Amino acid sequence: AERRSAFCLGGADHHRDKLRYTRLGSSKTDKIEGRPDAQRFDDTCSALALVGVEGAVLEQLLRALAGVLLLGQIVFEGDADAPAKDDTAAFSKSSIVPPQEAAKALDVEVVDLEKAVTHRTLRTRNEEMKKPLSTAEALTTRDSLAKELYARTFDWLVARICEATGAPSGTSKNFVGLLDIFGFESFAINRFEQLCINFANEKLQQKFTSDIFKTVQQEYLSEGIPWEKIEYKDNAPVLALIESKLGVCAMLNEECVRPRGSDQNFVSKLLSVHKDDPVFSTPRVGKLRELQFSIAHYAGNVTYTTTGWLERNRGTISDDLVQLLRGSKNPLLKGLFATPTASEGSDATERRGSKVGADSVITNFRTSLGQLMETVGRTQSQYVRCIKPNKNKTPAEMDNEMVVEQLRCAGVIEAIQVSRAGFPARMPLREFALRFLLLARSATGMLFTRGNACQASGGKGKAAAAAAVALVGKGDDAGLCRALAVALLQGSDQSYEIGRTRVYFKAGVLEALEERRALLLQAAATELARAVRGYWARRSYARARQATIQLQSLSRMGVCRRAFLRLRKVAVFCQSQRRGLLARRRAVQLRRERAVVRLQMGRRRLVAIRCFARARGAAIRIQAVVRCRLCRRQYLCNLAEFKEQAKLENQVKALQARLEARERELAAERCGATSPVSASGVPNVSLAEPPAEILEALQALAAENAKLRVDLERQRAENVELRRENQQLRAGQASRSAWMTSILRTRTAPAPEELRRASSPSPPTTPQQSHRSQVITAEPLGRISATAATGGSGLAAGDEAGGGMAAPCEDPEPRVYPPLSTFWQDVPFAGLALLKSGTEVHIKLGSNILMVDSKGKGLVWQQWMKEGKGYPRSMAFILERRIEQLTPTRRGSPIVMTVPEPGDEDFLGDAFALRSALTGRYVVAGGMMDWYRMKVSGDRPEDAAVLTFAPLLDEELSVPVAGFADAADAACGGGACGAAECACTLRLFGEHSTLALRPDGTVSLVQVADDDSNVVPETMAATVEYLKPMSAYEITVHDKQIGICLAKDHHDLRVSGFSLVTPADGMAPTPGYVELTGRVRVGDTIASVDGQDIRSLPKQEALAMISRSRPVTLGFISAPGPRQFEGALADLK
């Protein structure tokens, strides 16, 4: 509907059954051979595109055809049957389809269209006038315009197809033409179109009859057969009646030229001129007998009705319509009517001249038909007659009457009559001899030994014998066929002729020979059937006898088999009883062994529980003692601080009392000095000025007091802040310690000092000590490195930044595996359990990273640390939480799981599963048949392997791992890359199976000891990389041009864009190294140059420092501002 709307045919009133030019057909189907009209329309558009009609040209073509359909919907006001003088045509305003749609489809104005259809311009030698047309004339003009538009569009399309498919002019010498014409037409009412079609068929029938006659004549001459003139029906009188000087065509043109010519006068003239012609006649009865005449065509007599023949023969459109379409905005329509054609007439006066007779429709048709016949005459013609078997279009159905009528109309019957006038049947010489030798042998009695009904005697038999003998020998084919014909066709020498290559027969001769041969073959078939039936009867008897013998043998076998089955049943019963007795004895023994094993297991479990309870009680007592000491130490510090503060306050109060006393003394002295006796008779004390040293002491005391007050307030604020941080750290330490208890395994016989250090809480630290970050140094591709920055990432850096505070643990620090990307960071072990469920991470074992294989089913590893190719999606895994519970291990030592506190349900906890971010499937543990390899094939959450974290605290981790130090140095620039709290192992929950790397590139489960004595760090030590971008990084630039643009409206050096860098060799500008690293983003700020902070420096001075030397190390802060990593606990919460 949308495509139809583009051509003004999308409304409900534009359906096929409602359009005037399409509703006249009888077909109501929308599908042909199962394909709807819409699909066939698409196929037509595709075919047109192959010949170059596509795009705008196709749209112009479709609009032109839509204009033809919409022209038929134009309705005029007035009565079409009214006299012309009383009627004036005009567009109807109440029509269902407005004329504006037709004008829109033709790309013309509706006013111009109405004037051109309802008026006609008459031109004389000196003037021009407009003549209004009646409704009937307007309807005729409308239909003429539609037909002319459709005809010219059709001619244009045919020319376009010929141009696209034809060979270039001048390059072809021969051609193959296909002429498809209408068959002979005869209806109840035959009009001007039927005359033209039948005229063309008469011409072609004449050519067809002539070709058939010539072919037969040439064949007889080449074969050397005498022949006489063949009489056949010639249609030359019919053609003379139509195209002679006084024929139908000439008189029709003459009547069109006459001023008052009419269809009745035309028929009357034909009757007066051709009344004696045998092929012409007129009906004597009927309402339209004055407008009808008949022509005896080769296919039968056809009666033509001449109503409207004169108007149809003229076939011209007025200059008004031509000028209208020449002014169309459609380039296709404008081109079609740009050059005048023979069908255009200037005015009514010119149409009455001799030119109209030369350019009439019938004249043009005769000219075109003559050119066609000349072309056909120069070619070697082959004829194909298409016969329609029935009207229902169904298979295996033949309407004989309909087929005969088509054969008659197509001229096939006439051709057969011409062919049968001589020797209609013919056969090659050798084929004739081989085919009818059977009859010759039958005549000599050589076929059957009994019942031969075809034997002959006398001269006929001798002749047949001679022909049979001659056929066996190698002689002339013509002589052999002549001898055979004499033997078989005696007394009828005129019924056949022997040619050079063929034998020719008169009508009925060959049919008689075929009938005799068929009778002989039937007799032979009967004899053969007798022999075959005898053979089958003997074979059937033999089979019945063999079946009887087989049945007897089977019966005897059944008796013997039943006896054998009875004996076997008894033997099987005895064997089953014996085996059952032995199996019951074995079952009793196995039950006893299982009971013993259960007793041993219970006893060992009880011993293990008691050992664990004792160890847990001892640990709790040690923790209590340590916490008591820490609290007592803190209490003593607070008490000393309180005493010192009280002492200072007492000193301040004493000084204030002394000051007030001294002020009172001075006031009394000052009063006595000025007035010896007061009004009441009391002598006044003179008030003298206080000494300078007292005033200085008072000022010093006041300043000291103010300083002490400021220090007191600062210490109080620090105490409040320290208490708050201490509470947070204690809460976090308690939660983390409770969670880590389930996965930490104590060593065998730990030292008391180690237990004390492990159970004692860490002292509170300042934010600068607790917060860690990592600054990245981006080198050229293949030289990426990382260096420790503020606070560092290990304990040594923490001691330096914190003013020499003691480390919470004296165990040797394990080697931490560096992250893959220097823009991301590892998660400390203490914060792994506090990750959110659903966090996307990367997991590394040794210096390698885990990933999904190319098939998306296996878990593999690659040495990606040295390649620096970035993060493929197959490396990402999603952590999903699993419910914690008390799970006994295979060795009998239970693992106690602690459920997170309220509000921590989203944390990962101790038990988790891995799901691939690429495939969405879970990591599962393979069985023994898979060599315990890890796979990424779990579709359901319950199929996933439940894993847990276990820290690495063994002594051997302090020694650099072989093969790992190079990767760590390459990634970290030769320095330490992390802290001890980042190293761990990944194990199955509740078991001692650890993930380890295999040499074949896969990951499998390996059993480890309780004390981790057989842990191999190169293949088992794991770190988890949390996908979080760093807040600060450094990039070392060696090139002279950096390739970044700085913002002008900011006081700092903020990146606003990138620029191209011109190489030193003069090549084309390329992006700079800073842009190629992919790390620097718009909005990042340059904070340092070669380690020196430049944020407080003026902008020009900072730019001068950057341009001073090469290489230069630039420190960046990520937009929108610095965000340091605040530790696993605080950051993940």
Side-chain angles (χ1 to χ4, degrees), residues 296-561:
H297 291 282
Y298 71 91
N301 196 15
V302 180
T303 301
Y304 297 96
T305 303
T306 61
T307 303
W309 279 34
L310 271 65
E311 188 64 30
R312 293 173 184 268
N313 187 40
R314 293 189 182 102
T316 58
I317 59 174
S318 64
D319 287 348
D320 300 328
L321 298 177
V322 175
Q323 295 299 330
L324 172 69
L325 294 180
R326 286 179 181 175
S328 173
K329 298 178 181 178
N330 189 335
L332 178 61
L333 294 179
K334 190 173 182 180
L336 292 177
F337 289 87
T339 58
T341 62
S343 62
E344 295 180 15
S346 58
D347 51 36
T349 303
E350 292 182 356
R351 282 201 301 272
R352 295 190 183 96
S354 60
K355 183 179 179 181
V356 176
D359 295 339
S360 62
V361 174
I362 193 65
T363 303
N364 294 333
F365 184 79
R366 284 181 58 191
T367 304
S368 177
L369 182 59
Q371 295 174 356
L372 175 63
M373 296 309 297
E374 291 179 3
T375 304
V376 173
R378 295 193 300 268
T379 60
Q380 296 179 0
S381 303
Q382 302 290 335
Y383 297 91
V384 178
R385 298 293 185 178
C386 301
I387 303 300
K388 184 177 180 182
N390 57 78
K391 297 181 180 179
N392 302 325
K393 297 182 180 179
T394 57
E397 180 182 351
M398 183 70 69
D399 188 349
N400 295 331
E401 184 178 354
M402 179 179 177
V403 171
V404 170
E405 184 66 21
Q406 293 181 71
L407 292 174
R408 182 179 61 80
C409 294
V412 177
I413 296 178
E414 293 291 335
I416 294 175
Q417 291 176 355
V418 172
S419 177
R420 291 179 66 88
F423 296 93
R426 62 205 66 184
M427 184 177 293
L429 297 177
R430 193 65 181 174
E431 182 181 352
F432 172 75
L434 295 175
R435 185 172 183 83
F436 296 107
L437 177 63
L438 186 65
L439 297 178
R441 290 182 177 179
S442 176
T444 59
M446 301 170 59
L447 287 182
F448 307 109
T449 59
R450 59 178 180 174
N452 188 4
C454 299
Q455 293 182 358
S457 61
K460 186 175 181 180
K462 294 179 180 180
V469 172
L471 183 63
V472 175
K474 296 182 179 179
D476 186 13
D477 290 341
L480 176 62
C481 292
R482 186 173 289 105
L484 186 59
V486 170
L488 298 178
L489 301 173
Q490 291 183 358
S492 56
D493 296 339
Q494 302 298 326
S495 62
Y496 67 92
E497 286 289 344
I498 305 299
R500 293 186 178 90
T501 60
R502 290 183 179 89
V503 181
Y504 293 85
F505 303 93
K506 288 289 186 179
V509 177
L510 184 61
E511 288 80 355
L513 292 176
E514 290 289 348
E515 184 178 359
R516 291 171 57 186
R517 183 176 179 274
L519 292 174
L520 184 60
L521 292 178
Q522 184 178 2
T526 302
E527 182 68 19
L528 182 62
R530 182 190 63 79
V532 171
R533 290 191 187 100
Y535 167 76
W536 281 106
R538 290 188 295 272
R539 184 176 178 182
S540 176
Y541 169 74
R543 288 183 178 179
R545 185 174 179 276
Q546 182 68 22
T548 302
I549 296 173
Q550 186 74 14
L551 182 61
Q552 292 174 355
S553 64
L554 289 176
S555 178
R556 297 188 188 99
M557 183 191 70
V559 174
C560 297
R561 179 170 178 77

Side-chain angles (χ1 to χ4, degrees), residues 1084-1101:
D1084 294 357
T1085 305
I1086 302 177
S1088 64
V1089 177
D1090 292 333
Q1092 181 179 353
D1093 193 354
I1094 61 172
R1095 286 177 288 183
S1096 59
L1097 299 179
K1099 197 170 186 179
Q1100 296 298 329
E1101 186 176 349

Side-chain angles (χ1 to χ4, degrees), residues 258-276:
R258 293 175 61 85
R260 296 184 178 275
S262 64
D263 299 331
Q264 294 179 357
N265 294 338
F266 167 63
V267 176
S268 178
K269 289 182 178 180
L270 285 178
L271 179 60
S272 62
V273 175
H274 301 285
K275 61 182 178 179
D276 297 331

Side-chain angles (χ1 to χ4, degrees), residues 563-581:
F564 166 75
L565 291 177
R566 283 195 297 270
L567 292 176
R568 191 179 71 169
K569 184 176 182 181
V570 174
V572 170
F573 177 76
C574 295
Q575 292 176 357
S576 64
Q577 293 296 322
R578 176 60 181 172
R579 290 170 183 161
L581 178 61

Side-chain angles (χ1 to χ4, degrees), residues 623-638 719 721-740 759-765 770 834 901 904 1129-1130 1133:
Q623 292 176 358
V625 172
V626 172
R627 290 170 183 159
C628 180
R629 290 183 179 180
L630 292 177
C631 293
R632 185 181 297 109
R633 185 183 301 171
Q634 184 66 29
Y635 170 74
L636 293 177
C637 292
N638 293 338
N719 288 336
E721 183 66 22
L722 290 175
R723 288 192 188 97
R724 184 181 62 80
E725 292 184 2
N726 191 13
Q727 291 176 359
Q728 294 179 355
L729 292 175
R730 285 179 181 275
Q733 183 69 17
S735 176
R736 182 172 59 186
S737 299
W739 285 39
M740 291 172 61
S759 59
S760 60
S762 301
T765 58
S770 61
L834 301 178
E901 300 177 358
D904 296 343
L1129 179 63
K1133 284 187 177 181

Side-chain angles (χ1 to χ4, degrees), residues 42-55:
D42 295 336
D43 296 342
T44 303
C45 293
S46 301
L48 289 175
L50 294 178
V51 297
V53 182
E54 57 182 344

